[in-house]
Amino acid sequence: MVTNEEAEAEIRAILDKMNNLYDIVTLTNAEYNEYLGAQAIRVLSSVSVSSSINMNLYMTIIAVFFLLIGCGGAILLGRAGDILEYLFLKDRLTGCMNRSSCDKYIEKWQGKPLSTGMCCVNIQITNQRDMNSIYGRDQVDQAMREFGRVLRELFENRKDGFVGYNGSGQFWIFFEKETQETIGQEMERLVLVLAHTLPDIVLEYQLGAVNAGDAEEFYIRGLISRAVKERRPYATKEPSKDEGQQT
């Protein structure tokens, strides 16, 4: 039989073990809390760094976006004149200045005495309807584009040159400072270039070129009328037997 002294001794031993276990749990809990705190700081630091990296990335993207928008806007504004000119002042088929532009150019000189160097060239395509029936509309449109391109490349870039398409196969070219001899040489070159550019289609046209001083026409309407009167017939090539029969 267990005595009172033995029972008390066992109880004290059990209490001591429980106290030791409690101390161990307390210490372990403190260490675990320290570990959780360190992990929390690490996570927050990582989030902060990631946030910083993402923010820099976003700022870079935004800067590039607005840079592109700004450059695009500057280019658009810089080309606005060319765009408006193409939409409202140029003929879309030939690329030459359109009828409205021709009227404005002529109106600019209306009533003003012309210098002796003023020149006028009139070109009238005479077989456009026949070409449409022989070659088809698409091929004729391409020929008109090439015709306009040749005129522009030869004459439009001159400081005082004007190249316009007045519709119905009629082109106008003006120079403010050329002699009759020079303009005659330029038209000879034009005839050769057109023949070389359009060798597969019979495009017939009449061409007249006059200088104000040589023709003694010192007002724009008189110079225009004289250019029309001076027109002579030309063709990009001689018609073949079949093309001649169809025309």
Short mmCIF file of all heavy atoms in Angstrom, two decimals, residues 157-184:
data_model
loop_
_atom_site.label_atom_id
_atom_site.label_comp_id
_atom_site.label_asym_id
_atom_site.label_seq_id
_atom_site.Cartn_x
_atom_site.Cartn_y
_atom_site.Cartn_z
N ASN A 157 8.46 69.12 -110.07
CA ASN A 157 9.43 69.50 -109.05
C ASN A 157 10.16 70.80 -109.34
O ASN A 157 10.96 71.26 -108.52
CB ASN A 157 10.44 68.36 -108.84
CG ASN A 157 9.81 67.15 -108.18
OD1 ASN A 157 8.87 67.28 -107.41
ND2 ASN A 157 10.31 65.97 -108.51
N ARG A 158 9.92 71.36 -110.49
CA ARG A 158 10.55 72.65 -110.79
C ARG A 158 9.95 73.73 -109.88
O ARG A 158 8.77 73.71 -109.55
CB ARG A 158 10.32 73.02 -112.24
CG ARG A 158 11.01 72.07 -113.21
CD ARG A 158 10.97 72.62 -114.60
NE ARG A 158 11.64 71.74 -115.55
CZ ARG A 158 11.86 72.06 -116.82
NH1 ARG A 158 11.46 73.23 -117.28
NH2 ARG A 158 12.46 71.21 -117.61
N LYS A 159 10.78 74.68 -109.55
CA LYS A 159 10.35 75.73 -108.63
C LYS A 159 9.13 76.48 -109.15
O LYS A 159 8.24 76.85 -108.38
CB LYS A 159 11.51 76.70 -108.39
CG LYS A 159 11.21 77.78 -107.39
CD LYS A 159 12.42 78.67 -107.16
CE LYS A 159 12.12 79.76 -106.15
NZ LYS A 159 13.30 80.64 -105.92
N ASP A 160 9.08 76.71 -110.44
CA ASP A 160 7.98 77.50 -111.02
C ASP A 160 7.05 76.64 -111.88
O ASP A 160 6.31 77.16 -112.71
CB ASP A 160 8.53 78.66 -111.84
CG ASP A 160 9.39 78.16 -113.00
OD1 ASP A 160 9.77 76.97 -113.01
OD2 ASP A 160 9.69 78.96 -113.92
N GLY A 161 7.08 75.32 -111.70
CA GLY A 161 6.27 74.44 -112.55
C GLY A 161 4.92 74.10 -111.94
O GLY A 161 4.77 73.97 -110.73
N PHE A 162 3.93 73.96 -112.80
CA PHE A 162 2.59 73.54 -112.38
C PHE A 162 2.11 72.48 -113.36
O PHE A 162 2.15 72.69 -114.58
CB PHE A 162 1.62 74.73 -112.37
CG PHE A 162 0.20 74.34 -112.05
CD1 PHE A 162 -0.26 74.32 -110.74
CD2 PHE A 162 -0.69 73.97 -113.07
CE1 PHE A 162 -1.57 73.95 -110.46
CE2 PHE A 162 -1.99 73.61 -112.78
CZ PHE A 162 -2.45 73.59 -111.48
N VAL A 163 1.64 71.34 -112.84
CA VAL A 163 1.13 70.25 -113.67
C VAL A 163 -0.27 69.90 -113.18
O VAL A 163 -0.45 69.47 -112.04
CB VAL A 163 2.04 69.01 -113.61
CG1 VAL A 163 1.47 67.90 -114.50
CG2 VAL A 163 3.46 69.35 -114.01
N GLY A 164 -1.26 70.10 -114.05
CA GLY A 164 -2.64 69.85 -113.65
C GLY A 164 -3.39 69.00 -114.64
O GLY A 164 -3.09 68.98 -115.84
N TYR A 165 -4.39 68.28 -114.12
CA TYR A 165 -5.29 67.49 -114.96
C TYR A 165 -6.68 68.10 -114.86
O TYR A 165 -7.28 68.14 -113.79
CB TYR A 165 -5.31 66.04 -114.50
CG TYR A 165 -6.23 65.15 -115.33
CD1 TYR A 165 -5.95 64.91 -116.67
CD2 TYR A 165 -7.36 64.55 -114.77
CE1 TYR A 165 -6.78 64.10 -117.44
CE2 TYR A 165 -8.18 63.74 -115.53
CZ TYR A 165 -7.89 63.52 -116.86
OH TYR A 165 -8.72 62.71 -117.63
N ASN A 166 -7.19 68.57 -116.00
CA ASN A 166 -8.44 69.32 -116.00
C ASN A 166 -9.66 68.43 -116.26
O ASN A 166 -10.77 68.92 -116.39
CB ASN A 166 -8.37 70.42 -117.07
CG ASN A 166 -9.31 71.57 -116.77
OD1 ASN A 166 -9.50 71.93 -115.60
ND2 ASN A 166 -9.91 72.14 -117.80
N GLY A 167 -9.43 67.11 -116.33
CA GLY A 167 -10.52 66.19 -116.63
C GLY A 167 -10.68 65.99 -118.13
O GLY A 167 -10.17 66.76 -118.95
N SER A 168 -11.41 64.92 -118.48
CA SER A 168 -11.69 64.61 -119.90
C SER A 168 -10.42 64.47 -120.74
O SER A 168 -10.38 64.88 -121.90
CB SER A 168 -12.60 65.69 -120.51
OG SER A 168 -13.81 65.77 -119.79
N GLY A 169 -9.36 63.95 -120.12
CA GLY A 169 -8.13 63.69 -120.86
C GLY A 169 -7.28 64.91 -121.15
O GLY A 169 -6.40 64.85 -122.01
N GLN A 170 -7.49 66.01 -120.45
CA GLN A 170 -6.77 67.25 -120.74
C GLN A 170 -5.83 67.65 -119.59
O GLN A 170 -6.25 67.72 -118.44
CB GLN A 170 -7.75 68.40 -121.01
CG GLN A 170 -7.07 69.70 -121.39
CD GLN A 170 -8.04 70.73 -121.92
OE1 GLN A 170 -7.89 71.26 -123.02
NE2 GLN A 170 -9.06 71.03 -121.13
N PHE A 171 -4.57 67.90 -119.96
CA PHE A 171 -3.55 68.29 -118.99
C PHE A 171 -3.07 69.71 -119.30
O PHE A 171 -3.00 70.11 -120.47
CB PHE A 171 -2.35 67.35 -119.05
CG PHE A 171 -2.64 65.94 -118.62
CD1 PHE A 171 -3.16 65.01 -119.52
CD2 PHE A 171 -2.40 65.53 -117.32
CE1 PHE A 171 -3.42 63.71 -119.14
CE2 PHE A 171 -2.65 64.22 -116.92
CZ PHE A 171 -3.17 63.31 -117.84
N TRP A 172 -2.72 70.43 -118.24
CA TRP A 172 -2.14 71.77 -118.36
C TRP A 172 -0.81 71.81 -117.63
O TRP A 172 -0.70 71.31 -116.50
CB TRP A 172 -3.07 72.84 -117.78
CG TRP A 172 -4.32 73.05 -118.55
CD1 TRP A 172 -5.57 72.56 -118.28
CD2 TRP A 172 -4.45 73.81 -119.76
NE1 TRP A 172 -6.47 72.97 -119.23
CE2 TRP A 172 -5.81 73.74 -120.16
CE3 TRP A 172 -3.56 74.55 -120.54
CZ2 TRP A 172 -6.29 74.37 -121.29
CZ3 TRP A 172 -4.04 75.18 -121.67
CH2 TRP A 172 -5.39 75.09 -122.03
N ILE A 173 0.19 72.39 -118.26
CA ILE A 173 1.49 72.58 -117.64
C ILE A 173 1.88 74.05 -117.82
O ILE A 173 1.76 74.59 -118.92
CB ILE A 173 2.57 71.68 -118.28
CG1 ILE A 173 2.13 70.21 -118.23
CG2 ILE A 173 3.91 71.85 -117.57
CD1 ILE A 173 3.03 69.29 -119.04
N PHE A 174 2.33 74.66 -116.74
CA PHE A 174 2.76 76.07 -116.80
C PHE A 174 4.17 76.20 -116.23
O PHE A 174 4.53 75.55 -115.26
CB PHE A 174 1.81 76.96 -115.99
CG PHE A 174 0.43 77.08 -116.57
CD1 PHE A 174 -0.60 76.24 -116.14
CD2 PHE A 174 0.15 78.03 -117.55
CE1 PHE A 174 -1.87 76.35 -116.68
CE2 PHE A 174 -1.12 78.15 -118.08
CZ PHE A 174 -2.13 77.30 -117.65
N PHE A 175 4.96 77.06 -116.87
CA PHE A 175 6.28 77.46 -116.37
C PHE A 175 6.33 78.98 -116.37
O PHE A 175 5.86 79.62 -117.31
CB PHE A 175 7.40 76.92 -117.25
CG PHE A 175 7.39 75.43 -117.40
CD1 PHE A 175 6.93 74.84 -118.57
CD2 PHE A 175 7.82 74.61 -116.37
CE1 PHE A 175 6.93 73.47 -118.71
CE2 PHE A 175 7.82 73.24 -116.50
CZ PHE A 175 7.37 72.66 -117.68
N GLU A 176 6.92 79.56 -115.37
CA GLU A 176 6.96 81.01 -115.27
C GLU A 176 8.22 81.61 -115.88
O GLU A 176 8.25 82.81 -116.17
CB GLU A 176 6.85 81.42 -113.79
CG GLU A 176 5.51 81.02 -113.17
CD GLU A 176 5.41 81.40 -111.70
OE1 GLU A 176 6.16 82.32 -111.29
OE2 GLU A 176 4.62 80.78 -110.98
N LYS A 177 9.25 80.78 -116.08
CA LYS A 177 10.52 81.33 -116.60
C LYS A 177 11.18 80.33 -117.54
O LYS A 177 12.09 79.60 -117.15
CB LYS A 177 11.47 81.67 -115.44
CG LYS A 177 10.96 82.77 -114.52
CD LYS A 177 11.93 83.01 -113.37
CE LYS A 177 11.40 84.08 -112.43
NZ LYS A 177 12.33 84.31 -111.28
N GLU A 178 10.71 80.28 -118.77
CA GLU A 178 11.30 79.41 -119.79
C GLU A 178 11.23 80.10 -121.15
O GLU A 178 10.34 80.91 -121.40
CB GLU A 178 10.57 78.06 -119.88
CG GLU A 178 10.75 77.15 -118.67
CD GLU A 178 12.15 76.59 -118.55
OE1 GLU A 178 12.99 76.85 -119.46
OE2 GLU A 178 12.44 75.92 -117.53
N THR A 179 12.17 79.75 -122.01
CA THR A 179 12.15 80.28 -123.37
C THR A 179 11.40 79.31 -124.29
O THR A 179 11.18 78.16 -123.94
CB THR A 179 13.58 80.45 -123.90
OG1 THR A 179 14.20 79.16 -124.01
CG2 THR A 179 14.40 81.35 -122.97
N GLN A 180 11.02 79.80 -125.47
CA GLN A 180 10.33 78.95 -126.44
C GLN A 180 11.24 77.79 -126.88
O GLN A 180 10.78 76.66 -127.05
CB GLN A 180 9.90 79.77 -127.66
CG GLN A 180 9.10 79.00 -128.69
CD GLN A 180 7.74 78.57 -128.17
OE1 GLN A 180 7.05 79.33 -127.51
NE2 GLN A 180 7.35 77.34 -128.48
N GLU A 181 12.51 78.07 -127.02
CA GLU A 181 13.45 77.02 -127.43
C GLU A 181 13.54 75.92 -126.38
O GLU A 181 13.48 74.73 -126.70
CB GLU A 181 14.83 77.62 -127.67
CG GLU A 181 15.86 76.60 -128.12
CD GLU A 181 17.23 77.22 -128.33
OE1 GLU A 181 17.39 78.44 -128.09
OE2 GLU A 181 18.15 76.47 -128.74
N THR A 182 13.64 76.35 -125.12
CA THR A 182 13.73 75.36 -124.04
C THR A 182 12.46 74.54 -123.91
O THR A 182 12.51 73.32 -123.76
CB THR A 182 14.02 76.07 -122.70
OG1 THR A 182 15.25 76.79 -122.81
CG2 THR A 182 14.12 75.06 -121.57
N ILE A 183 11.34 75.21 -124.00
CA ILE A 183 10.07 74.49 -123.86
C ILE A 183 9.87 73.52 -125.02
O ILE A 183 9.31 72.43 -124.87
CB ILE A 183 8.88 75.47 -123.72
CG1 ILE A 183 7.70 74.79 -123.02
CG2 ILE A 183 8.43 76.01 -125.04
CD1 ILE A 183 7.94 74.44 -121.60
N GLY A 184 10.33 73.90 -126.21
CA GLY A 184 10.25 72.99 -127.35
C GLY A 184 11.10 71.75 -127.14
O GLY A 184 10.66 70.61 -127.43
#
